[in-house]
């Protein structure tokens, strides 16, 4: 399909608005799942580690399935995928209201809602990139804040709905709100060239010439058969004597000879199609081998290898606060009367601020984005170490704000990846890193919950989280030091790709 030049405006700003609200509606509940986490603990009486799997799956499954999401959007388009995913998110949330046990939530909330969010993220990013070129960074920055604003609003909204209508009613209402994604998706008009040929013609143009020959032969055979059959019927009606029987015998012989020719043509067609499929499979296999070879070359880059470890450890240690901070406050015996704002809401609004400020800093030439990212990792580790010493709402709110701001380093992560591997390898490397980020998102909260089940307090869990993030930060800092530059520059000179891969993130 041939696309027009990105207009950088016009209907593109409508795309930005609907993409913002799409991310707001789909990510609001999964990111603010910490409010629901407390209710699920009381409702099902399971351990904190087992219950934490629900929220971690909802946030990690989209990243883990990012290659599948990209294939779906490339094959069917952003608008159909957005509409279908809207049904997934809304249906998953509504199904969760009828959950009889925690295992049902793993599927309804964790997998169905999480996969729907991943598909919607990929659809919104893809359609936005099609409509913008010069202002693409601004457009992507605006739509990415939708998830952070959703976290801020949904944390308070879900808490209020639980008080008014209970957990089941809250999930039903939130699921009904998610149906507005269908309206947003319907406005994602694809950017197609008006002069492009219709899909049927494009499909026919890609068919090898020999298939046209077989098609014409088959058509000729069918026409001859229909003509002979028609003639046979007419003759039978006119001639009822023995001559008519003789003519019918001749017609049957002619038909049988044509059927033999048709079988030979069909056999040739099968042979040609088999050879074509073998060549196609061989070509695809060579592409897969090339992909894995270049992946191995990427890991020879010391900075990239350290970045892969850092993003994995950061998500294992840095993601749990957004899910468990409310339970941390309850475990510290902080009264609900002292709450001025849900802690998750503070994390959400400060994440938005962090994305904007860190993104602006990354645009300055005198700022090294790699060192800036390392700084956010080290500060996050220190903040996680400080959580066990926070025994009041004010200190927890301050730490929530700091952690939320530092989590905004997602906005500079593409810059860091580009600086590490080069623009030619960005999509390849970013897809690998996002997979491990999703793995960290999925494992982090259950690990922290298991630590609590083991020790009956969160102190050890957050010491472990802080250690993970600090370890990742120090490893990345060590790899980024100037003494490694010579090795890094040699390993980052990779042959250019002859293909591209689309990915999705949770940034």
């Amino acid at each position: 399909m041939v696309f027009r030049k990105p207009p950088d405006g016009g209907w593109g700003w409508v795309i930005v608005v609907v993409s913002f609200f799409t991310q707001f509606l789909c990510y609001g509940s999964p990111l603010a799942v910490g409010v629901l986490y407390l209710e699920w603990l009381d409702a099902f009486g399971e351990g904190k580690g087992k219950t934490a799997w629900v929220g971690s799956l909802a946030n990690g499954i989209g990243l883990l399935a990012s290659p599948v999401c990209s294939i779906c959007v490339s094959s069917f388009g952003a608008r159909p995928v957005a509409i279908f995913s809207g049904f997934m998110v809304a249906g998953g949330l509504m199904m969760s209201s009828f959950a009889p046990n925690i295992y049902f939530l793993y599927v309804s909330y964790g997998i169905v809602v999480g996969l729907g969010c991943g598909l919607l993220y990929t659809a919104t990013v893809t359609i936005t990139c099609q409509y913008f070129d010069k202002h693409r960074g601004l457009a992507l920055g605006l739509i990415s804040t939708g998830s952070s604003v959703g976290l801020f609003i949904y944390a308070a909204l879900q808490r209020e709905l639980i008080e008014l209508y209970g957990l089941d009613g809250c999930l039903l209402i939130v699921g009904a709100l998610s149906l507005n994604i269908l309206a947003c998706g319907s406005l994602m008009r694809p950017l197609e060239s008006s002069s492009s040929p219709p899909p049927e013609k494009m499909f026919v143009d890609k068919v090898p010439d020999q298939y046209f020959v077989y098609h014409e032969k088959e058509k000729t055979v069918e026409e001859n058969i229909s003509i002979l059959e028609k003639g046979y019927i007419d003759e039978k009606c006119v001639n009822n004597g023995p001559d008519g029987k003789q003519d019918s015998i001749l017609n049957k012989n002619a038909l049988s000879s044509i059927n033999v020719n048709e079988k030979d043509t069909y056999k040739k067609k099968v042979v040609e199609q088999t050879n074509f499929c073998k060549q196609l499979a061989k070509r695809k296999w060579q592409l897969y081998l090339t992909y894995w070879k270049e992946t191995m070359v990427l890991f020879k880059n010391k900075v990239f290898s350290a970045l892969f470890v850092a993003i994995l450890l950061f998500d294992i240690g840095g993601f749990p606060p957004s899910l468990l901070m409310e339970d941390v406050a309850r475990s510290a015996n902080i009264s609900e009367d002292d709450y001025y704002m849900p802690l998750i809401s503070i994390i959400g609004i400060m994440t938005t601020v962090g994305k904007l400020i860190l993104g602006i800093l990354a645009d300055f030439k005198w700022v090294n984005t790699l060192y800036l990212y390392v700084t956010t990792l080290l500060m996050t580790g220190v903040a996680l170490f400080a959580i066990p010493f926070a025994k009041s709402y004010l200190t927890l709110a301050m730490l929530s704000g700091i952690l939320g701001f530092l989590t905004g380093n997602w906005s500079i992560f593409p810059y860091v990846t580009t600086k590490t591997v080069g623009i030619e390898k960005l999509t390849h490397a970013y897809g690998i890193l996002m997979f491990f980020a999703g793995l960290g998102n999925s494992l982090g909260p259950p690990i922290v919950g298991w630590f609590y089940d083991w020790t009956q307090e969160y102190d050890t869990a957050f010491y472990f989280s802080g250690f993970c993030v600090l370890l990742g930060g120090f490893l990345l800092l060590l790899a980024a030091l100037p003494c490694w530059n010579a090795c890094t520059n040699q390993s980052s000179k990779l042959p250019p790709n002859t293909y591209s891969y689309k990915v999705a993130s949770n940034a």
Side-chain angles (χ1 to χ4, degrees), residues 176-214:
L177 288 175
S178 299
L179 289 173
N180 289 287
I181 296 173
L182 307 181
C184 295
S186 64
L187 295 175
M188 294 181 184
R189 188 171 61 197
L191 184 65
E192 298 180 17
S193 176
S194 58
S195 60
S196 61
E200 293 80 2
K201 184 177 179 181
M202 292 181 64
F203 176 78
V204 171
D205 290 342
K206 295 180 181 179
V207 180
D209 294 337
Q210 59 266 32
Y211 296 127
F212 282 109
V213 176
Y214 292 127

Side-chain angles (χ1 to χ4, degrees), residues 37-51 100-103 105 167 330 453:
Y37 171 75
L38 298 177
E39 302 299 323
W40 288 330
L41 283 174
D42 297 335
F44 300 115
E46 300 287 353
K48 295 181 185 292
K50 185 181 290 188
T51 308
N101 51 55
I102 199 70
Y103 303 104
L105 286 174
L167 176 61
R330 188 169 71 171
D453 294 336

Side-chain angles (χ1 to χ4, degrees), residues 88-272:
M88 287 185 65
V89 174
L93 289 169
M94 293 180 181
M95 287 169 57
S96 299
S97 65
F98 302 101
N101 51 55
I102 199 70
Y103 303 104
F104 188 91
L105 286 174
Y106 289 162
V107 178
S108 63
Y109 198 98
I111 297 178
V112 177
V113 175
L115 186 58
C117 291
L119 287 168
L120 285 168
Y121 181 85
T122 306
T124 54
V125 170
T126 301
I127 193 71
T128 303
C129 290
Q130 291 175 2
Y131 272 87
F132 288 91
D133 184 16
K134 295 180 181 179
H135 305 296
R136 183 174 295 170
L138 174 62
L140 291 175
L142 290 174
I143 69 171
S144 68
T145 58
S147 58
S148 301
V149 175
L151 169 58
F152 171 71
I153 294 179
Y154 268 74
L157 176 64
Q158 290 185 146
R159 194 171 180 178
E160 189 68 23
L161 290 175
I162 289 173
E163 292 181 359
L164 293 175
Y165 305 105
L167 176 61
D168 298 342
C170 170
L171 290 170
L172 283 173
I173 294 174
V174 171
L177 288 175
S178 299
L179 289 173
N180 289 287
I181 296 173
L182 307 181
C184 295
S186 64
L187 295 175
M188 294 181 184
R189 188 171 61 197
L191 184 65
E192 298 180 17
S193 176
S194 58
S195 60
S196 61
E200 293 80 2
K201 184 177 179 181
M202 292 181 64
F203 176 78
V204 171
D205 290 342
K206 295 180 181 179
V207 180
D209 294 337
Q210 59 266 32
Y211 296 127
F212 282 109
V213 176
Y214 292 127
H215 177 71
E216 292 297 330
K217 288 182 179 179
E218 289 178 347
K219 184 177 179 182
T220 304
V221 170
E222 291 174 358
E223 289 178 350
N224 291 336
I225 292 173
S226 62
I227 292 172
L228 289 171
E229 287 178 343
K230 185 177 179 182
Y232 165 68
I233 294 172
D234 293 340
E235 288 291 332
K236 186 176 181 180
C237 293
V238 175
N239 302 318
N240 294 323
D243 294 336
K245 293 183 179 180
Q246 185 176 2
D247 292 339
S248 65
I249 294 172
L250 293 174
N251 289 333
K252 287 182 180 179
N253 292 333
L255 288 173
S256 62
S257 62
I258 292 174
N259 288 333
V260 171
N261 293 333
E262 183 182 13
K263 290 179 180 179
D264 293 338
T265 303
Y266 177 76
K267 290 180 180 179
K268 292 180 181 179
K269 178 180 178 181
V270 170
V271 172
E272 292 291 339

